[in-house]
Each structure stands twice: as C-alpha cells, then as structure tokens.
Amino acid sequence: MPHSMEGRDILSIGDLTEKEALSILLLAEDVKRNPKTYVTALAGGVMVLIFEKPSLRTRVTFETGMASLGGTGIYLAPDQVQMGEREPVRDVAKNLERWVQVIVARTFEHRTLEELASQGKTPVINALSDLEHPCQALADLLTIREHFHSSKINLTYVGDGNNVCHSLMLLGTLLGYEVRIAVPKGYEPHPDIVHKSEQFAQDSGGKIVIDSNVRALSEGAHVLYTDVWTSMGQEEEERERLKAFDGFQVNSELVALADPDVKIMHCLPAHRGQEITGEVVDGPRSVVFDQAENRLHAQKALLLCILGGA
Ligand code: CP
Ligand code: NVA
C-alpha cells in the first residue's frame, strides 16, 4: 500500500497516479474477498458525511463500510450544516479538524470541496460534486475488472458529459482503456477533463474518443454506460435536456450494435424511459447492482488508504 496516500484529499481521479488507482482497486478486491481481515482496521476512527444533495448508495456504502472497518460515521443531511450560509466553509473545516479523521462531502459546487480541503487539516473525499464522482468511478472499474480480465476493451459512455462521465473517462484512460464518449453537441465533457484524459491516455496506451455519433461509438462496445440526462441541481433544465438527448437512450436497438457480451452499466438512480429503458437496465447484460455493491468495497479500500489502516 502506498503510504503516500495517507491523509490525502481525493477530490478528483486526477489526484491519483496510475499506481495508486491500481493499488486501491487491488485492495478493494482483497477487502471484498476477505472482509474479516479488516474488521478492526479503522477502530476508533470517525468519518463525517456532509451532504448537500440526497443519496442512497454513497451514504449507505460509506457508513456501512466505515462500520465494517471498526470506525463510526456521522451523517449530516442537506439542511443541517448549510456550508457557506449558516457559517463559512472555512469555519466548518476548522471545527471538524478538531474532532474527526475524514470528511466525505457531497456538494453542488466543486470549489466548496476544494475550500473544505484547503482550509482544514482533515482529508476530504469527494462524494460527488458538479465536476466529478471519483468514488463511483473506482467502483465502476472494480466491476469492469471483475468482468474483463484485460484493459484491451472499450468503455462507451452514452449521454451527458457530467460528473460521472468525467471521473469515468479520467480513471479509464489512467488505467489504459479505450474510452468513447457519445454526447450531444453542447453537452460535451469539460475541456480540462478532456485534456487530462488525453494526457492519461498518452501515458497509459489508452485512448479517448468524443463524438455525437452514438451509433458509431456503440458499435462493438464491451461496456455501455449511461447516467441521467438531468443531474441533481439541473432540474430547471429538464425540458430542454429531454430534447437535446433525444436519440441518446440506451435501448435494445443500441445494445444490438455493441459486442454480444456487452455489460450495461449505470451509476443509479436510473430514470427508466429516459436515458435507459427498463428492459435494458433490468436485462441479462446489466451489471448495475454489481456496481452498486462495489461502491462498498471500493470505498472501504479508499478509507483504508487515506486513514492508513491497510
Ligand atoms: N450512484 C450514486 O452516487 O448514488 P447515490 O446518489 O444514491 O449516492
Ligand atoms: N450525474 C448524477 C449522478 C447521480 C449519482 C447527478 O449528479 O445527479
């Protein structure tokens, strides 16, 4: 285990080297196989979860994960802390550093996470921001590694160039995969993330392709991944987004273009009938609940790395 990860903030996949990302995944595989080995690894540790948005998977897997490592979690719901409103983000950071060992935060704005991390001594893990969802990507690559024993496959993401897309493209290219992003014009991933992914791909032998031709990009796909068209906080854009994403639904017609053994992925929650049909998300090629389970194992590994319990 790289000791260099102890005490570190994980706000972005870009905060990890290829070696560190791989070591988290290898540890997650061991944690999943041998959970009993780690039951007291973080005894006495306290994690606080500060969430500005709702959550099922992220909250439950972090709390369950910390408890199964011997530590404790405190959940602070969206209306409880009101960072930046009830008190400045800096004061929140300066209080928490006196009490807890790790902060797991889900925020609207990525810069709130950056401020929380820079103003206090406590390591901060990004539990989803408008820019990234790194914990999701770690669980996704853990899932992909369970189904494919080589990185010589292509991951095709169909839909919005959003937080989930950003972390997936960064981690996929960091680890040497070909990542294809099928996205309507105007909803492409952030240029800085594209640039970083291109650099990662160059170093790892991976590849990044971004195009609006969803059918061409889905041909022969080993993984077809999608996420909601309207993310939390974008609700007022829903009508225009429904129009813009017309033709980008992952349905049986699109799946027919992919590799016959394609795995269907979605971070969940899914909007059946929008970005994916019920038939596909609930169908035999879907691994969405494996992904959800793997949130637990990946985050346990991440906590062990950050808190030095490995
Ligand atoms: N995928 C995911 O992060 O789910 P939640 O929003 O329920 O945490
Ligand atoms: N892109 C979605 C992911 C939810 C897990 C959102 O930000 O709402």
Side-chain angles (χ1 to χ4, degrees), residues 106 128 133 162-164 227-228 231-232 267-269:
R106 170 169 285 198
L128 180 149
H133 197 0
N162 63 13
N163 45 10
V164 168
D227 181 21
V228 293
S231 283
M232 292 180 277
C267 57
L268 303 177

PDB file of all heavy atoms in Angstrom, residues 106 128 133 162-164 227-228 231-232 267-269, ligand 2:
ATOM      1  N   ARG A 106     -20.528  15.717  -0.211  1.00  0.00           N
ATOM      2  CA  ARG A 106     -21.261  15.792  -1.494  1.00  0.00           C
ATOM      3  C   ARG A 106     -21.766  17.217  -1.628  1.00  0.00           C
ATOM      4  O   ARG A 106     -22.574  17.669  -0.801  1.00  0.00           O
ATOM      5  CB  ARG A 106     -22.415  14.787  -1.491  1.00  0.00           C
ATOM      6  CG  ARG A 106     -23.358  14.958  -2.653  1.00  0.00           C
ATOM      7  CD  ARG A 106     -24.335  13.806  -2.810  1.00  0.00           C
ATOM      8  NE  ARG A 106     -23.689  12.638  -3.363  1.00  0.00           N
ATOM      9  CZ  ARG A 106     -24.335  11.607  -3.923  1.00  0.00           C
ATOM     10  NH1 ARG A 106     -25.640  11.621  -4.012  1.00  0.00           N
ATOM     11  NH2 ARG A 106     -23.668  10.587  -4.414  1.00  0.00           N
ATOM     12  N   LEU A 128     -19.301  13.254  -4.595  1.00  0.00           N
ATOM     13  CA  LEU A 128     -19.995  13.784  -5.783  1.00  0.00           C
ATOM     14  C   LEU A 128     -20.062  15.308  -5.698  1.00  0.00           C
ATOM     15  O   LEU A 128     -20.478  15.858  -4.668  1.00  0.00           O
ATOM     16  CB  LEU A 128     -21.417  13.219  -5.955  1.00  0.00           C
ATOM     17  CG  LEU A 128     -22.262  13.686  -7.162  1.00  0.00           C
ATOM     18  CD1 LEU A 128     -23.215  12.579  -7.633  1.00  0.00           C
ATOM     19  CD2 LEU A 128     -23.027  14.958  -6.872  1.00  0.00           C
ATOM     20  N   HIS A 133     -17.256  12.482  -9.768  1.00  0.00           N
ATOM     21  CA  HIS A 133     -17.786  11.473  -8.837  1.00  0.00           C
ATOM     22  C   HIS A 133     -16.743  10.345  -8.771  1.00  0.00           C
ATOM     23  O   HIS A 133     -16.973   9.231  -9.243  1.00  0.00           O
ATOM     24  CB  HIS A 133     -19.136  10.974  -9.346  1.00  0.00           C
ATOM     25  CG  HIS A 133     -19.960  10.257  -8.323  1.00  0.00           C
ATOM     26  ND1 HIS A 133     -19.533  10.057  -7.019  1.00  0.00           N
ATOM     27  CD2 HIS A 133     -21.200   9.685  -8.406  1.00  0.00           C
ATOM     28  CE1 HIS A 133     -20.486   9.399  -6.360  1.00  0.00           C
ATOM     29  NE2 HIS A 133     -21.491   9.159  -7.175  1.00  0.00           N
ATOM     30  N   ASN A 162     -21.082  14.738 -17.854  1.00  0.00           N
ATOM     31  CA  ASN A 162     -21.266  15.250 -16.482  1.00  0.00           C
ATOM     32  C   ASN A 162     -20.211  14.710 -15.522  1.00  0.00           C
ATOM     33  O   ASN A 162     -19.182  14.143 -15.918  1.00  0.00           O
ATOM     34  CB  ASN A 162     -22.691  14.913 -16.013  1.00  0.00           C
ATOM     35  CG  ASN A 162     -22.929  13.401 -15.932  1.00  0.00           C
ATOM     36  OD1 ASN A 162     -21.994  12.606 -15.988  1.00  0.00           O
ATOM     37  ND2 ASN A 162     -24.178  13.008 -15.807  1.00  0.00           N
ATOM     38  N   ASN A 163     -20.497  14.851 -14.217  1.00  0.00           N
ATOM     39  CA  ASN A 163     -19.582  14.410 -13.160  1.00  0.00           C
ATOM     40  C   ASN A 163     -19.200  12.923 -13.279  1.00  0.00           C
ATOM     41  O   ASN A 163     -18.022  12.560 -13.145  1.00  0.00           O
ATOM     42  CB  ASN A 163     -20.203  14.715 -11.781  1.00  0.00           C
ATOM     43  CG  ASN A 163     -21.691  14.338 -11.655  1.00  0.00           C
ATOM     44  OD1 ASN A 163     -22.248  13.677 -12.532  1.00  0.00           O
ATOM     45  ND2 ASN A 163     -22.316  14.774 -10.571  1.00  0.00           N
ATOM     46  N   VAL A 164     -20.187  12.072 -13.526  1.00  0.00           N
ATOM     47  CA  VAL A 164     -19.932  10.624 -13.625  1.00  0.00           C
ATOM     48  C   VAL A 164     -19.079  10.346 -14.859  1.00  0.00           C
ATOM     49  O   VAL A 164     -18.097   9.587 -14.814  1.00  0.00           O
ATOM     50  CB  VAL A 164     -21.278   9.850 -13.659  1.00  0.00           C
ATOM     51  CG1 VAL A 164     -21.076   8.400 -14.060  1.00  0.00           C
ATOM     52  CG2 VAL A 164     -21.950   9.946 -12.295  1.00  0.00           C
ATOM     53  N   ASP A 227     -25.826   7.581 -17.698  1.00  0.00           N
ATOM     54  CA  ASP A 227     -26.239   8.249 -16.458  1.00  0.00           C
ATOM     55  C   ASP A 227     -27.408   9.169 -16.818  1.00  0.00           C
ATOM     56  O   ASP A 227     -27.683   9.408 -18.009  1.00  0.00           O
ATOM     57  CB  ASP A 227     -25.049   9.050 -15.877  1.00  0.00           C
ATOM     58  CG  ASP A 227     -25.382   9.765 -14.564  1.00  0.00           C
ATOM     59  OD1 ASP A 227     -26.353   9.362 -13.890  1.00  0.00           O
ATOM     60  OD2 ASP A 227     -24.669  10.740 -14.217  1.00  0.00           O
ATOM     61  N   VAL A 228     -28.062   9.699 -15.806  1.00  0.00           N
ATOM     62  CA  VAL A 228     -29.220  10.572 -16.035  1.00  0.00           C
ATOM     63  C   VAL A 228     -28.872  11.747 -16.950  1.00  0.00           C
ATOM     64  O   VAL A 228     -27.734  12.205 -16.984  1.00  0.00           O
ATOM     65  CB  VAL A 228     -29.786  11.107 -14.700  1.00  0.00           C
ATOM     66  CG1 VAL A 228     -30.386   9.994 -13.885  1.00  0.00           C
ATOM     67  CG2 VAL A 228     -28.719  11.860 -13.889  1.00  0.00           C
ATOM     68  N   SER A 231     -28.979  16.032 -14.030  1.00  0.00           N
ATOM     69  CA  SER A 231     -28.367  15.724 -12.739  1.00  0.00           C
ATOM     70  C   SER A 231     -28.992  16.559 -11.626  1.00  0.00           C
ATOM     71  O   SER A 231     -29.682  17.557 -11.888  1.00  0.00           O
ATOM     72  CB  SER A 231     -26.858  16.021 -12.803  1.00  0.00           C
ATOM     73  OG  SER A 231     -26.198  14.991 -13.488  1.00  0.00           O
ATOM     74  N   MET A 232     -28.696  16.147 -10.384  1.00  0.00           N
ATOM     75  CA  MET A 232     -29.206  16.895  -9.224  1.00  0.00           C
ATOM     76  C   MET A 232     -28.721  18.349  -9.315  1.00  0.00           C
ATOM     77  O   MET A 232     -27.528  18.591  -9.537  1.00  0.00           O
ATOM     78  CB  MET A 232     -28.692  16.254  -7.928  1.00  0.00           C
ATOM     79  CG  MET A 232     -29.285  14.877  -7.678  1.00  0.00           C
ATOM     80  SD  MET A 232     -28.681  14.135  -6.147  1.00  0.00           S
ATOM     81  CE  MET A 232     -27.120  13.431  -6.665  1.00  0.00           C
ATOM     82  N   CYS A 267     -24.700   4.301 -12.981  1.00  0.00           N
ATOM     83  CA  CYS A 267     -24.341   4.575 -11.581  1.00  0.00           C
ATOM     84  C   CYS A 267     -25.548   4.512 -10.653  1.00  0.00           C
ATOM     85  O   CYS A 267     -25.383   4.330  -9.450  1.00  0.00           O
ATOM     86  CB  CYS A 267     -23.669   5.938 -11.485  1.00  0.00           C
ATOM     87  SG  CYS A 267     -24.698   7.269 -12.137  1.00  0.00           S
ATOM     88  N   LEU A 268     -26.749   4.692 -11.214  1.00  0.00           N
ATOM     89  CA  LEU A 268     -28.017   4.758 -10.476  1.00  0.00           C
ATOM     90  C   LEU A 268     -28.053   6.018  -9.595  1.00  0.00           C
ATOM     91  O   LEU A 268     -27.005   6.420  -9.114  1.00  0.00           O
ATOM     92  CB  LEU A 268     -28.255   3.503  -9.627  1.00  0.00           C
ATOM     93  CG  LEU A 268     -28.256   2.171 -10.394  1.00  0.00           C
ATOM     94  CD1 LEU A 268     -28.435   1.000  -9.403  1.00  0.00           C
ATOM     95  CD2 LEU A 268     -29.338   2.140 -11.465  1.00  0.00           C
ATOM     96  N   PRO A 269     -29.180   6.641  -9.354  1.00  0.00           N
ATOM     97  CA  PRO A 269     -30.506   6.186  -9.764  1.00  0.00           C
ATOM     98  C   PRO A 269     -30.739   6.326 -11.271  1.00  0.00           C
ATOM     99  O   PRO A 269     -30.221   7.262 -11.886  1.00  0.00           O
ATOM    100  CB  PRO A 269     -31.449   7.113  -8.990  1.00  0.00           C
ATOM    101  CG  PRO A 269     -30.662   8.354  -8.726  1.00  0.00           C
ATOM    102  CD  PRO A 269     -29.233   7.930  -8.603  1.00  0.00           C
TER     103      PRO A 269
HETATM  104  N1  NVA B   2     -24.976  12.765 -12.555  1.00  0.00           N
HETATM  105  C1  NVA B   2     -25.830  12.402 -11.439  1.00  0.00           C
HETATM  106  C2  NVA B   2     -25.222  11.279 -10.681  1.00  0.00           C
HETATM  107  C3  NVA B   2     -26.027  10.764  -9.511  1.00  0.00           C
HETATM  108  C4  NVA B   2     -25.324   9.678  -8.756  1.00  0.00           C
HETATM  109  C5  NVA B   2     -26.053  13.621 -10.549  1.00  0.00           C
HETATM  110  O1  NVA B   2     -25.093  14.377 -10.331  1.00  0.00           O
HETATM  111  O2  NVA B   2     -27.177  13.826 -10.099  1.00  0.00           O
END
